[in-house]
Amino acid sequence: MRAAFITGHGGNEVVEIGQRPEPVRASGEILVRMKAATLNRVDLYMRDSGAGITHQLPQIMGVDGAGIVEEVGPDEKTIKAGDRVVLHPGIVCGRCEFCQRGDQVLCVGIRYLGEHRDGTMAEFVSVPAENVFLMPENFDFAEAAALGVNHLTAWRMVFTKTQVKPWETVLIFGIGGGVSLAALQLVKAIGSRAIVTSREDEKLERARALGADETINGRTEDVARRAMELTGGRGVDVVIENVGEAVWPAALRSLVRGGRIATCGATTGDNPSSDLRRLFIRQLQIFGSTAGNFSEFRDLIEFCKRGDIRPVIDSRYGLDETHAALSRLEAGEQFGKIAINIESR
């Protein structure tokens, strides 16, 4: 089968598009003919170094994906051949204390597609049946694929971790990235007030068109000061961020007393300054978050079926154009998800 895979670590020169062995469906698994995947920052990380993530080369890229069921086992009762499905990217043990209590994202043996094992940027993927979900009927395959990482991550941050309420104000850093856009959509879907930041006016304008109530240009404005002005000196209830070190001080200063912040990334560095006195005097709450559980994914899909949100697709590339797609992601030019369409030959 055709796939995009890394043969080493470096730049696009280590990414090949060619033939890889087709997976053999194991007992309890479902074989899916992939139709689309979307790019995530971890795809660049795996290409560049993959440091700290156990993996073997060559390895097929792609964490999230959607497609059509090719083959199921005789005992499968929920999913059938021909179904249009989206994949949860975390393969779990099912036996540890975290899996047993339904918190699969904390599984001690979790292995992610495209990180610890072959991923979704291939004509076929075989995964455990519990990782396969019927996709929203009104979504195309790229839109469905986008749910598996960015929207699931945002769902857990917004609803499970910080538990945003309709009457609250949420500050979202780095609008234009997939998680930030997903958080904006979810926050506005329940009626909360959303303030978003970017260093580019064009992205801020597009965010307004998607429902952002206020925008802050982090290149020309002091984010914390502006957030305070926009809240009458009170501060925001919740901060959603995945930028890390560069925005952390502003994020803490933007919060109301007792406010909550959820973080899921560190694209600008993972050693932010620690304003501990502000943290304990104002009794701020910090939540680390990544991905989401099977139940959260199911809830997200059901939410999407109502028609309230639809993932923003920045651009679509063919599998043969993977180098160009990765370069666009690396340049930070995107507004929304960069999709890879996978067509069988």
Side-chain angles (χ1 to χ4, degrees):
M1 67 174 183
R2 296 181 70 250
F5 54 95
I6 53 174
T7 59
H9 297 297
N12 277 343
E13 74 279 357
V14 304
V15 178
E16 294 189 14
I17 294 88
Q19 293 294 318
R20 295 296 299 154
E22 185 175 317
V24 177
R25 187 188 65 81
S27 176
E29 291 190 345
I30 292 177
L31 181 67
V32 179
R33 182 184 293 272
M34 301 305 297
K35 303 297 288 183
T38 69
L39 295 185
N40 297 280
R41 296 296 303 184
V42 72
D43 294 308
L44 293 176
Y45 184 77
M46 293 304 298
R47 182 202 66 179
D48 295 347
S49 74
I53 298 176
T54 302
H55 61 286
Q56 294 183 333
L57 299 175
Q59 180 169 280
I60 297 172
M61 304 181 74
V63 182
D64 56 34
I68 299 173
V69 173
E70 184 80 4
E71 180 184 324
V72 301
D75 298 326
E76 176 57 42
K77 306 300 182 185
T78 304
I79 303 293
K80 64 182 184 303
D83 282 342
R84 300 166 77 244
V85 296
V86 56
L87 306 184
H88 185 292
I91 313 302
V92 301
C93 74
R95 298 184 300 276
C96 70
E97 63 173 294
F98 306 104
C99 286
Q100 290 294 307
R101 72 188 190 197
D103 214 0
Q104 296 93 355
V105 74
L106 296 179
C107 173
V108 297
I110 194 166
R111 300 169 68 233
Y112 284 102
L113 299 172
E115 294 186 42
H116 307 93
R117 52 174 285 171
D118 281 339
T120 57
M121 290 171 62
E123 291 181 323
F124 293 96
V125 173
S126 187
V127 295
E130 56 264 32
N131 288 78
V132 180
F133 295 76
L134 293 173
M135 58 183 263
E137 293 180 1
N138 61 324
F139 278 26
D140 65 31
F141 288 108
E143 291 170 331
L147 297 178
V149 174
N150 286 168
H151 278 71
L152 178 57
T153 298
W155 181 277
R156 184 172 176 87
M157 295 172 79
V158 170
F159 296 127
T160 304
K161 293 292 187 175
T162 60
Q163 300 182 21
V164 173
K165 307 298 189 299
W167 55 85
E168 292 185 314
T169 298
V170 182
L171 174 62
I172 303 169
F173 280 86
I175 205 67
V179 172
S180 299
L181 278 172
L184 171 61
Q185 290 179 311
L186 294 173
V187 163
K188 292 309 300 177
I190 65 169
S192 303
R193 183 188 184 199
I195 303 172
V196 302
T197 82
S198 174
R199 295 175 62 83
E200 301 177 31
D201 287 333
E202 181 182 355
K203 291 184 178 181
L204 294 174
E205 290 175 9
R206 296 182 68 178
R208 277 194 178 276
L210 288 173
D213 298 283
E214 304 287 351
T215 62
I216 303 173
N217 188 316
R219 178 171 50 83
T220 60
E221 299 179 273
D222 183 309
V223 173
R225 181 178 300 166
R226 184 60 179 147
M228 284 295 174
E229 290 174 354
L230 292 171
T231 56
R234 176 181 179 274
V236 302
D237 299 284
V238 173
V239 167
I240 301 293
E241 82 87 27
N242 54 33
V243 180
E245 191 170 322
V247 305
W248 193 254
L252 292 184
R253 294 199 310 272
S254 299
L255 282 168
V256 69
R257 292 172 179 268
R260 296 102 70 197
I261 179 172
T263 180
C264 71
T267 56
T268 63
D270 56 6
N271 288 293
S273 58
S274 299
D275 190 350
L276 290 180
R277 279 177 291 192
R278 175 177 294 272
L279 186 65
F280 63 72
I281 290 173
R282 291 177 174 261
Q283 299 194 39
L284 305 180
Q285 302 174 69
I286 299 175
F287 297 93
S289 190
T290 187
N293 296 322
F294 294 154
S295 61
E296 290 167 322
F297 198 34
R298 187 177 298 108
D299 290 344
L300 167 62
I301 293 171
E302 289 301 315
F303 192 84
C304 290
K305 288 179 180 178
R306 291 175 18 184
D308 291 332
I309 63 172
R310 200 180 193 98
V312 177
I313 303 300
D314 168 86
S315 50
R316 300 170 189 259
Y317 294 82
L319 191 62
D320 289 330
E321 301 172 303
T322 297
H323 286 181
L326 288 167
S327 294
R328 181 168 179 80
L329 177 63
E330 190 169 25
E333 299 170 345
Q334 81 284 359
F335 187 88
K337 296 294 288 180
I338 299 172
I340 303 292
N341 292 323
I342 304 165
E343 295 294 336
S344 300
R345 288 186 175 179

